């Protein structure tokens, strides 16, 4: 497409004036007639630049407390006319309507007002009417009009009109129209989601204003994208660009470590969204060493995360391991310098922001949405189902294991001892298989399971799991309960002096 058009007139009506001055000056230097309203008109006048008030076109003053400024047929006729339609041009002349070649407008800050905790009526007043209408009109008529709808586009627009002396191609205008419809659709989705906070309307509207193209998706032959504000979540200190798989693992790591927020130093190592090592100790150094001991083989190429600052001694140990990503609330200067010794190793400082409260995933020809599993098992939730009661140390280990279990792919069994993950069976089609996998791994890494505890994400339909666990040395079990055959497992535990507690909460993770 060429269809070059020279900007001869522009309507400027914006909420934020940041970055507007150089555009106005450039348009003025190019002889562009500028129309404006209210505060924007004053801003331009204060620059010593002539501006035609919109009221001169409409013969109406702004009224209803500023709610109605540009909503007028003469304004929208100037924007929506088709310059290659003689009838449109004749009507412009008949009704004394000026041609408008550029529209520069932004929207009231609705999302920021909601986020500020403002009163409902203040939020309602930040629902833009005139601005959104101008954006839609100008973007629709991109063949003749350019629409600049965001402060983020000012620099690009200024560069364009400067380099091209105000002569834009249809491709230029279409690109800005695409951005404008992105702005308008996101704005409307935000308003709807505010009004539909209680989900009275069972519909899904998602709009992420920021995104980036990834190197590829889960595999090299798949395209991949991330939509969201990654920089609000993390401060990246070092390393290559995160991949699709990196991001999935980082998400799993963050959600797992949130279970140990404000607790004693805790370190976790994850691989393919599951913890392969996790330990809680008096120092982050020892927590790392004991997490690594959980599965030093799987740790290769893993994602590392902890709940406190990484110091020099810990960084020296981490540096011996090939790992993709290291996440922490902070790094000491020495630790940061050491870990930057590997060019591609990604170092992330996790910022303190709220995570989404819902999970979404594609399903068939639609989307599944659910509340995030926000329940963490606590002592208050436990009910003793056996004669034998867990000791205080066993209780600590049971709750520790339960947190890991909640964030491990089902079917899963987690074995732990002295606040260290011994092993887990992950993503198995049978709970018995998950338990046997966990026992095999623990033994292969020289863990003594005598006195260890077992956590299960769901109930035991038969007593086979508690029997296998007993023979491996397990002395305490935590599980949701709820099977019609719970009593069979209870009876076995009673006969073999095993303590078992029920939580009443299943933690499937698929």
């Amino acid at each position: 497409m060429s269809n070059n058009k020279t900007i001869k007139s522009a309507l400027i009506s914006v909420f934020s004036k940041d970055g507007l001055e150089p555009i106005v000056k450039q348009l003025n230097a190019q002889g562009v007639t500028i129309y404006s309203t209210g505060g924007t008109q004053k801003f331009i006048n204060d620059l010593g630049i002539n501006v035609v008030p919109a009221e001169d076109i409409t013969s109406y003053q702004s009224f209803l407390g500023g709610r109605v400024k540009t909503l007028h047929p003469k304004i929208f006729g100037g924007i929506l006319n088709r310059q290659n339609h003689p009838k449109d041009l004749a009507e412009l002349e008949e009704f004394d309507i000026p041609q408008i070649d550029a529209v520069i407008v932004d929207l009231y800050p609705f999302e920021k007002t909601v986020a500020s905790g403002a009163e409902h009526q203040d939020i309602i007043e930040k629902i833009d009417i005139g601005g959104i209408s101008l954006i839609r009109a100008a973007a629709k008529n991109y063949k003749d009009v350019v629409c600049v709808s965001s402060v983020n586009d000012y620099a690009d627009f200024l560069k364009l009109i400067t380099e091209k002396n105000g002569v834009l191609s249809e491709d230029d205008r279409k690109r800005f129209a695409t951005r404008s419809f992105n702005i308008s659709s996101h704005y409307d989705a935000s308003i709807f989601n505010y009004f539909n906070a209680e989900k009275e309307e069972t519909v899904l509207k998602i709009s992420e204003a920021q995104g980036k193209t990834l190197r590829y998706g889960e595999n090299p032959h798949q395209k991949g994208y991330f939509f969201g504000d990654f920089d609000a979540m993390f401060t990246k200190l070092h390393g290559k660009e995160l991949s699709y798989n990196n991001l999935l693992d980082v998400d799993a790591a963050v959600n797992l470590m949130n279970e140990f927020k404000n607790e004693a130093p805790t370190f976790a190592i994850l691989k393919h969204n599951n913890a392969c090592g996790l330990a809680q100790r008096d120092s982050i150094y020892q927590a790392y060493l004991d997490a690594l001991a959980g599965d030093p083989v799987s740790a290769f190429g893993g994602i590392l995360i902890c709940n406190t600052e990484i110091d020099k001694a810990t960084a020296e140990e981490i540096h011996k391991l090939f790992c993709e990503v290291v996440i922490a609330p902070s790094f000491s200067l020495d630790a940061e310098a050491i870990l930057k010794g590997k060019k591609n190793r990604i170092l992330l400082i996790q910022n303190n922001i709220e995570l989404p409260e819902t999970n979404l995933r594609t399903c068939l020809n639609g989307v599944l949405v659910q509340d995030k599993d926000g329940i963490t098992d606590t002592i208050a939730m436990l009910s003793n189902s056996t004669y034998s009661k867990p000791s205080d140390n066993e209780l600590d280990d049971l709750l520790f294991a339960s947190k890991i279990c909640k964030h491990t792919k089902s079917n899963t069994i987690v074995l732990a001892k002295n606040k260290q993950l011994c092993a887990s069976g992950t993503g198995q089609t049978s709970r018995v298989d998950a338990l046997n996998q966990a026992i095999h791994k623990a033994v292969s890494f020289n863990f003594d399971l005598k006195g260890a505890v077992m956590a299960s994400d769901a109930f035991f339909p038969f007593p086979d799991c508690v029997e296998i666990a007993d023979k491996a040395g397990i002395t305490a079990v935590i599980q949701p309960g709820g099977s019609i055959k719970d009593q069979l497992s209870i009876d076995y535990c009673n006969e073999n002096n095993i303590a078992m507690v029920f939580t009443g909460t299943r933690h499937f993770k698929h």
Side-chain angles (χ1 to χ4, degrees), residues 463-490:
D464 43 10
C465 280
V466 290
E467 181 178 354
I468 294 169
D470 173 39
K471 291 177 179 177
I474 304 297
T475 56
V477 177
I478 186 170
Q479 57 130 323
S483 168
I484 59 173
K485 296 184 179 180
D486 273 345
Q487 195 59 47
L488 295 178
S489 294
I490 293 170

Side-chain angles (χ1 to χ4, degrees), residues 82-103:
R82 295 159 292 185
Q83 293 181 26
N84 62 346
H85 281 222
K87 188 172 184 297
D88 284 10
L89 299 181
E91 289 180 339
L92 289 188
E93 186 172 352
E94 178 185 355
F95 296 112
D96 192 25
I97 298 173
Q99 173 68 48
I100 297 175
D101 302 312
V103 173

Side-chain angles (χ1 to χ4, degrees), residues 18 24 55 151 155 166 179-180 187 192 239 264 274 276 279 292 307 315 328 372 404 411 420 425:
D18 294 341
V24 172
E55 290 91 336
V151 172
R179 295 177 185 178
S180 296
Y187 196 76
F192 170 78
N274 296 303
C276 58
L292 180 63
N307 65 352
K372 184 175 282 189
I404 303 171
N411 288 313
Q420 180 183 22

Side-chain angles (χ1 to χ4, degrees), residues 305-372:
I305 188 168
C306 62
N307 65 352
T308 191
E309 181 172 276
I310 292 181
D311 57 22
K312 179 182 178 182
T314 308
E316 287 173 338
E317 291 298 324
I318 293 172
H319 194 56
K320 299 173 184 177
L321 174 73
F322 168 70
C323 56
E324 291 273 340
V325 184
V326 184
I327 309 165
S330 60
F331 297 81
S332 73
L333 292 177
D334 287 338
E336 183 179 335
I338 291 167
L339 294 173
K340 284 181 175 178
K342 294 288 177 68
K343 179 177 67 174
N344 290 328
R345 180 186 287 143
I346 299 164
L347 304 183
L348 300 175
I349 293 177
Q350 184 179 340
N351 302 321
N352 189 24
I353 69 168
E354 293 295 320
L355 293 172
E357 296 179 354
T358 53
N359 296 127
L360 296 87
R361 65 196 303 178
T362 57
C363 180
L364 301 175
N365 61 340
V367 178
L368 280 173
V369 181
Q370 67 170 352
D371 294 337
K372 184 175 282 189

Side-chain angles (χ1 to χ4, degrees), residues 99-337:
Q99 173 68 48
I100 297 175
D101 302 312
V103 173
I104 302 175
V105 61
D106 65 0
L107 301 173
Y108 291 159
F110 179 82
E111 285 183 286
K112 287 184 179 178
T113 306
V114 172
S116 73
E119 295 293 327
H120 176 69
Q121 191 54 44
D122 293 332
I123 291 171
I124 296 303
E125 290 303 318
K126 288 298 184 288
I127 297 176
D128 206 305
I129 304 300
I132 202 80
S133 302
L134 290 170
I135 287 173
R136 291 180 66 84
K140 174 181 178 177
N141 202 27
Y142 70 87
K143 288 190 175 183
D144 293 313
V145 181
V146 62
C147 182
V148 182
S149 56
S150 170
V151 172
N152 296 330
D153 292 329
Y154 283 4
D156 190 12
F157 179 67
L158 178 61
K159 182 172 183 285
L160 208 59
I161 61 174
T162 302
E163 292 178 351
K164 295 190 171 187
N165 196 31
V167 182
L168 305 189
S169 69
E170 188 171 323
D171 283 335
D172 294 329
R173 296 190 299 274
K174 187 177 181 182
R175 186 170 74 254
F176 278 95
T178 301
R179 295 177 185 178
S180 296
F181 284 122
N182 174 45
I183 293 289
S184 65
S185 62
H186 179 77
Y187 196 76
D188 283 339
S190 300
I191 294 169
F192 170 78
N193 287 330
Y194 171 74
F195 275 86
N196 198 44
E198 301 303 321
K199 301 295 185 291
E200 294 173 354
E201 298 294 326
T202 311
V203 295
L204 177 65
K205 293 195 186 298
I206 303 171
S207 179
E208 285 291 349
Q210 299 186 53
K212 64 186 298 184
T213 302
L214 305 175
R215 296 198 304 275
Y216 52 80
E218 202 161 6
N219 299 291
H221 62 276
Q222 296 169 269
K223 291 181 179 179
Y225 307 88
F226 173 77
F227 296 100
D229 190 356
F230 184 83
D231 293 337
M233 183 85 207
F234 298 103
T235 300
K236 185 181 177 186
L237 299 178
H238 182 71
K240 63 183 180 180
E241 289 297 310
L242 280 91
S243 69
Y244 182 97
N245 291 329
N246 287 156
L247 289 166
L248 284 177
D249 282 331
V250 167
D251 176 71
V254 166
N255 281 289
L256 172 59
M257 193 52 63
N258 272 358
E259 300 286 347
F260 301 94
K261 192 173 183 178
N262 301 321
E263 293 191 12
T266 306
F267 212 109
I269 304 172
L270 289 87
K271 196 76 171 286
H272 295 292
N273 308 159
N274 296 303
C276 58
L278 198 152
Q280 188 172 89
R281 294 292 182 259
D282 292 333
S283 72
I284 199 63
Y285 173 81
Q286 195 59 50
Y288 169 71
L289 292 179
D290 290 348
L292 180 63
D295 186 346
V297 175
S298 296
F300 182 85
I303 306 293
L304 280 58
I305 188 168
C306 62
N307 65 352
T308 191
E309 181 172 276
I310 292 181
D311 57 22
K312 179 182 178 182
T314 308
E316 287 173 338
E317 291 298 324
I318 293 172
H319 194 56
K320 299 173 184 177
L321 174 73
F322 168 70
C323 56
E324 291 273 340
V325 184
V326 184
I327 309 165
S330 60
F331 297 81
S332 73
L333 292 177
D334 287 338
E336 183 179 335

